[in-house]
Each structure stands twice: as structure tokens, then as C-alpha cells.
Amino acid sequence: MEFAKKSDLLLIVAIIAICLLLWGIYATNNAYNQDEERTSLYAEIYYKNELVKRIPLKTDSDYTFSLEEKPNVVFQVYSSGGIAFIESDCPDKVCIKTGKLPHPTHKEAVCLPNSLVLKVISEGDSSSDDIDIHIK
Amino acid sequence: MKRFSLICLCLALVLLLMPGCSSSGLKRYSAEFVELFDTFTQIIGYANSKAEFTAHAEEIYNQLKAFHQLYDIYNNYNDINNLKTINDNAGIMPVKVDAKIIDLLLYAKEIYTLTNEKCNIAMGSVLSIWHDYRTDGINDPENAKLPPTSELIDASAHTDIDKIIIDTENSTVYLDDPFMRIDVGAVAKGYATEIVALAMTEKGVDHMLLSVGGNIRAIGGKPPEADQDESPPWKVGIRDPFDDNKGNIVSLKINNKSVVTSGDYERYYIVDGEKQHHIIDPNTLMPAPFFTSVTIVCPHSGLADSLSTAIFCMDYEEGRALIESLEDVEAMWLMHDQTMVYTDGFEDMILP
């Protein structure tokens, strides 16, 4: 008795072909989405370790804002891309001195006296060539 | 019927093979915390899902928070005896404390001997004077002053580490000098980070990087690439203190080790145009003048933390001799003229 007829073999080949095709579409689509996400940056602001604001870093003109929790701290979003602490009532001003994010060596700016962390993130994977962490 | 089962078999095979086709499941996440040890804590890790990573990050946060409260010398917390309680009872009575405090103090006594007495947790009386002058100097730069030498010398009479009386049996600590104060700033962060890293490792956690105020401890390396067994190392950048825009002065490959830098640019205030930083030499009672920074790489984060402070307070020859005498400890000295001197093992870790 034959194991499979010619028509069966054809069917198997057809199923495998369809699977490969679907997988191909899925993989391309996935890569495309990741590319999209990698280029779109978000800023997150944490107050006392809680996420209090998340905004896309895309704007047509510069603008500033403050948080309800900390009205004396002012953030600026730049149309050229990026975000920074620009005013703060803390004594050391480390947050302002950190400068605009994303920065070549850091993705976060911190104001310890005000318990604020400003973090820039992209949803995509970071490149393995990037430095993982920085010591001051 | 036979045809139907054949199709089923075929589909089952495809389904079985599908997971193998998708890319490795581990994704990279990070979490940041403030307030622990009055500094910035960052956790970077790889996990299957955000939920899994968040659970690990929260566990680390909770453990570090317990250490932070116990090792705090400035604040009281409800129902716990911490280092402040011990300090407040100096010369009065022994204080019953958590084993985490006993363990730290015993470790710090070992470190005191190992570091040629340069890392001394009994220096609180001297360090608190500097702390107050620095805080005032930052808040009111116009009137920033150096502490009077006489005040420092008087305080230094109360820094004998042997007067920290540890009773392990009853889990109590007594300061046998009413003017003595414990300050564990040079060792506690690193020690706590190490204990937490070990606890997470024991739970099977891998591929994580902890930074507690720049006190770096890697749990393993990064996840291996597909078809590879070896974990690639983390890349740790050390910022250029001479030019913030230049990026890193050096970057290191780190796998399952700790990296700590002590520098004169981290915490300081300015008196008459001169920077007065926070790392005080126990012999001169003044900010140690030898280097811009010292970086230590070794497996134990508590050792890396305390050695970076101690080596910063020694001249190069003494420090080099101490480092060479220790197993699996590497160091880099960043001189004021921007030159870098390092041990051979340190050089091997530098990324091109």
C-alpha cells in the first residue's frame, strides 16, 4: 500500500507553502512595526516612583509644561526633538545641567530633591552596540 | 480518512516548528527609582514580558528599601531600630537591631583592616561636620565656608572603630563613646546591592544590571544570541568628568561583576573658587587631593564600593600595592592631568 498519493503530496506542499508565505508576511510586518516604534520616542515622567505623565516627543513648535505635583519644575519639549528640565527650585540644578534628552550618554534626567525622573524611551529594541549603563 | 489524518499531521508539524522560527523571547526593560539611599537607582534587565520584569524590579526595590531604612543615619522609621537609633544611643545603651545591621557592621570592620584603615565607618562625627558645611554651602554659595580645623580635630578624637561594640548573640550594637557617630556612606550602598544581587541570583534571576547611585552590579551578562552559549558582557560607560559632552572616558565589558567609581566631581561645594568634594581622608580630615577619580571592578559590590573610597584616599603607590595584593580586583586611577593608569586586568576589560 502506498503511503501517500500524488495528490496528497501536492496538498502537503501547498500547506507548507501557505504557512511560509503567512510567516513571511508576519515577519516583515513585525520588523516594519519595530522600525516605526524605534523612530518614535516617548518621554515618561515619574514622581515618587509613579508614572505621572507619558508624552510623545513629536511637536511642531516648542512648548513648556509643569506637573500639578511640582509646579516649580518646568519641562520643555523641543520641535527639533527632545525634552529637558529648564527650571527647578532644587538647590543643585543637576536636573537642568543634565541637558536635553536623548543625550549621547544618557536617557534619563533626575531631580532627586523633587523626586522626579524624566526618561526617554523608544519601544523598539536597543542596538547591541549601545552602552548599557553609565557611571558618573 | 487517511488524507485527513495526513493533513492533521502536516499542520501539527508546522505548529511545532513555529516557535522555533520566532526571534528569542527575551526583551529589554528598565526601571528607575528615587529615594533609595538618597540617590538614583536604575535596573536594566531582560525578561519574557514586562510583567515578569516589573515583578523582579519591585522585589529588588523592596529589598533595597529595607536596607535603606536600616542603614539610614538621618531619619527614623516607625517601629524599626536603625543606624540613627544606634547613633542616638551612643554612650547610653546597646540597641537591638536587625541582623542586616550586624552583618554590615561586621563586614565594615573587616574592610577597615583590609583598606589600611582608610575606610572607617566610625568617622561619622567628622563627616557630619563636612556634611553640614557642604549643605549650607550649596544652599547659600555666597557664604560657603570650610569647617574650622579645630572643630574637625576635636571630632576626630571620637572615631575609634573598636568602640563599636557588636554583640552578635543578642543582636545588639553599642557605641562606647557618647560623641561617636556611625556613617556607612562608603560601604552600605555597595554592600546592600551585593546582598540583593545574590538573593536575586538565588531565585534564578539572570541578565540584570543594577545601578544604585552609580554602584553597578551585573547579575550575569546579557542573554546569549541565538545559537550561542556564551552571555555577551554588559557595556558600562564611565563618563568623562572633564567634558560632559564628550561622552565616556572609557567603556568596560562587565559580566557578573561590580563597578564603582569614586570621584571628586560627584558631590561637592565651592569655597573661594575651590571645589571641596565629599571624600574625606581620615588622616588629614580634608577632601583627599590625589585623583580625579578611582574606579574599581571586582565581584563583590561592597568591596568595590569601599575600595573605591579607600584607594581614592591613598597616594598611587600605596593604592597600587593594595590592589595588587588582592585577588580578582582591578582598578583605574584617573589623574588630575587627565591621564589614566590601570591594572593589567582592567585594561583587558576596556572596549575598543
Side-chain angles (χ1 to χ4, degrees):
Chain A
M1 184 181 137
E2 262 181 298
F3 175 66
K5 281 192 226 150
K6 202 175 172 186
S7 61
D8 291 337
L9 281 175
L10 268 175
L11 194 67
I12 292 167
V13 170
I15 290 172
I16 291 173
I18 289 169
C19 286
L20 280 176
L21 188 74
L22 284 174
W23 180 78
I25 292 170
Y26 166 79
T28 338
N29 209 17
N30 215 20
Y32 174 76
N33 280 344
Q34 277 186 0
D35 260 12
E36 268 278 274
E37 280 171 345
R38 197 171 294 154
T39 51
S40 65
L41 293 175
Y42 283 84
E44 290 184 344
I45 302 173
Y46 293 80
Y47 174 60
K48 294 195 170 170
N49 304 327
E50 298 287 336
L51 180 64
V52 289
K53 200 173 178 76
R54 181 183 158 99
I55 47 168
L57 282 186
K58 236 181 199 175
T59 172
D60 293 331
S61 54
D62 295 4
Y63 69 94
T64 60
F65 67 92
S66 291
L67 300 173
E68 243 172 71
E69 294 85 349
K70 285 282 170 188
N72 295 329
V73 180
V74 181
F75 300 89
Q76 176 151 8
V77 181
Y78 298 88
S79 57
S80 54
I83 184 166
F85 281 90
I86 58 161
E87 272 177 48
S88 170
D89 55 357
C90 60
D92 54 18
K93 313 286 180 209
V94 168
C95 49
I96 299 171
K97 288 178 200 156
T98 304
K100 196 163 87 173
L101 301 178
H103 182 276
T105 65
H106 40 265
K107 291 176 182 136
E108 308 84 20
V110 186
C111 186
L112 285 177
N114 282 311
S115 296
L116 286 167
V117 176
L118 170 65
K119 178 183 175 185
V120 169
I121 49 162
S122 54
E123 298 281 306
D125 297 314
S126 63
S127 153
S128 61
D129 292 334
D130 288 351
I131 298 293
D132 294 298
I133 205 160
H134 298 271
I135 306 188
K136 214 181 151 185
Chain B
M1 196 60 216
K2 200 176 82 182
R3 170 178 285 203
F4 177 71
S5 51
L6 206 66
I7 293 171
C8 284
L9 185 74
C10 186
L11 280 173
L13 266 175
V14 169
L15 280 175
L16 269 176
L17 292 173
M18 279 298 260
C21 295
S22 69
S23 53
S24 97
L26 294 176
K27 279 178 97 177
R28 183 190 171 101
Y29 299 95
S30 77
E32 289 77 21
F33 302 106
V34 289
E35 287 168 352
L36 293 174
F37 295 100
D38 306 315
T39 181
F40 177 56
T41 298
Q42 189 170 30
I43 302 169
I44 293 170
Y46 289 82
N48 290 305
S49 66
K50 177 132 194 170
E52 182 188 314
F53 174 77
T54 305
H56 289 154
E58 274 175 8
E59 164 97 42
I60 292 170
Y61 175 81
N62 289 335
Q63 289 197 25
L64 284 172
K65 192 173 171 186
F67 281 104
H68 161 72
Q69 295 190 346
L70 288 169
Y71 297 168
D72 197 331
I73 59 170
Y74 300 110
N75 303 291
N76 290 113
Y77 300 92
N78 289 341
D79 305 326
I80 67 163
N81 288 337
N82 62 7
L83 290 182
K84 182 172 189 295
T85 325
I86 295 174
N87 281 341
D88 291 346
N89 285 288
I92 302 171
M93 62 174 183
V95 177
K96 193 161 181 75
V97 290
D98 191 285
K100 288 187 179 83
I101 289 184
I102 303 282
D103 292 345
L104 170 72
L105 297 182
L106 291 172
Y107 182 74
K109 285 198 172 197
E110 274 175 44
I111 288 293
Y112 176 70
T113 317
L114 185 141
T115 58
N116 303 348
E117 309 182 353
K118 287 288 187 183
C119 184
N120 180 8
I121 58 161
M123 277 230 318
S125 53
V126 173
L127 296 179
S128 71
I129 297 172
W130 277 104
H131 179 268
D132 294 346
Y133 276 81
R134 188 172 57 246
T135 310
D136 291 348
I138 290 171
N139 289 330
D140 182 11
E142 302 268 293
N143 295 308
K145 280 197 271 302
L146 282 178
T149 312
S150 59
E151 204 179 321
L152 292 170
I153 289 173
D154 288 349
S156 73
H158 308 283
T159 58
D160 180 0
I161 197 169
D162 291 329
K163 291 197 172 164
I164 302 178
I165 314 291
I166 303 169
D167 181 342
T168 45
E169 211 156 282
N170 295 309
S171 198
T172 63
V173 179
Y174 174 59
L175 302 187
D176 191 16
D177 176 341
F179 300 105
M180 171 181 278
R181 296 293 179 266
I182 291 178
D183 185 324
V184 290
V187 57
K189 252 186 338 184
Y191 179 80
T193 306
E194 181 64 26
I195 302 297
V196 172
L198 290 177
M200 296 312 285
T201 307
E202 203 143 284
K203 288 191 170 183
V205 170
D206 200 357
H207 317 309
M208 264 208 173
L209 197 56
L210 313 184
S211 167
V212 182
N215 199 308
I216 307 263
R217 171 64 155 84
I219 302 177
K222 292 202 248 188
E225 302 283 333
D227 315 323
Q228 300 251 311
D229 293 334
E230 227 169 282
S231 262
W234 301 95
K235 295 174 183 176
V236 177
I238 298 168
R239 275 185 208 152
D240 186 344
F242 301 107
D243 182 358
D244 199 37
N245 298 316
K246 239 170 78 180
N248 298 311
I249 196 152
V250 73
S251 298
L252 304 174
K253 296 175 281 185
I254 296 297
N255 201 323
N256 213 30
K257 282 193 179 168
S258 176
V259 189
V260 182
T261 297
S262 285
D264 65 5
Y265 48 88
E266 294 169 278
R267 209 177 291 168
Y268 59 86
Y269 71 117
I270 292 166
V271 184
D272 300 329
E274 287 224 24
K275 237 186 217 185
Q276 304 294 335
H277 66 79
H278 74 298
I279 307 170
I280 305 302
D281 182 335
N283 298 100
T284 62
L285 309 178
M286 297 298 285
F290 306 105
F291 317 106
T292 298
S293 76
V294 168
T295 300
I296 304 288
V297 181
C298 68
H300 194 294
S301 197
L303 183 62
D305 194 6
S306 45
L307 271 180
S308 73
T309 307
I311 299 294
F312 191 91
C313 293
M314 294 175 194
D315 63 41
Y316 171 72
E317 283 71 25
E318 186 186 359
R320 179 97 194 195
L322 174 55
I323 294 293
E324 302 282 356
S325 75
L326 298 169
E327 191 112 337
D328 211 0
V329 177
E330 307 298 341
M332 176 184 87
W333 292 260
L334 177 57
M335 308 297 186
H336 293 308
D337 66 2
Q338 308 200 13
T339 54
M340 291 182 278
V341 183
Y342 26 70
T343 56
D344 296 345
F346 194 96
E347 195 167 359
D348 296 340
M349 291 183 285
I350 294 178
L351 280 160

